[in-house]
Amino acid sequence: GGLGKHLEEGCLWVRVECGNAGNGCTETPLRKDLPVHEAICPAAVIACPNEGCGVQHARGSMGVHILTCEHERVTCLCPGCDTRVLRRNMDAHIESRHLGEAVQLLQNAWSNVARVEERELSQQRHATDTPTTWEFNWRAEGWGVGPYFVSET
């Protein structure tokens, strides 16, 4: 009677099954610790915290979802831009805000390369009448270095 009922219903020192056992939790905390465990249980199904998402995952795998959630607010990937946009809007942000800048950088770099080539070719033609090969490197900030070879025969 009394002891059995106490152990089954009210004893705080008996081990009990987690309410998320059906989702795969194998923990059996003391009844007194059950509320704390269930508040952090990795098997508990929770909603994505990003506004407008509505996806539900086990708490333990929610971090993986958030890494790709289209409703997550993220910082722009472009150096020097600290704008925060929804992940799903990142491409549009980059296109509207940074694509023109990138095209301008490339155009400036190619103009500089053309001027250097023209100057080098002109100087080399005046210096010798023998066939020559040059190697020159150029750098456009943020775009790296590229060797370009010109042969004149």
Side-chain angles (χ1 to χ4, degrees), residues 25-120:
C25 183
T26 58
E27 295 291 319
T28 55
L30 295 176
R31 181 174 279 129
K32 72 177 188 68
D33 298 329
L34 184 61
V36 172
H37 167 74
E38 287 183 342
I40 62 169
C41 178
V45 176
I46 60 170
C48 176
N50 293 320
E51 186 178 330
C53 180
V55 168
Q56 294 195 354
H57 278 283
R59 180 180 282 117
S61 64
M62 184 57 74
V64 174
H65 164 74
I66 288 175
L67 290 175
T68 59
C69 180
E70 293 292 309
H71 297 273
E72 176 79 357
R73 203 164 270 287
V74 294
T75 302
C76 178
L77 304 169
C78 295
C81 181
D82 59 355
T83 301
R84 293 186 56 79
V85 297
L86 293 178
R87 182 176 279 116
R88 69 177 179 207
N89 296 334
M90 182 62 70
D91 289 345
H93 166 75
I94 290 173
E95 186 176 318
S96 69
R97 175 94 186 269
H98 302 293
L99 190 57
E101 296 170 7
V103 168
Q104 187 61 49
L105 275 173
L106 283 173
Q107 288 173 337
N108 291 345
W110 283 115
S111 290
N112 290 339
V113 168
R115 280 195 296 276
V116 169
E117 278 182 349
E118 189 176 313
R119 186 172 51 241
E120 293 290 328

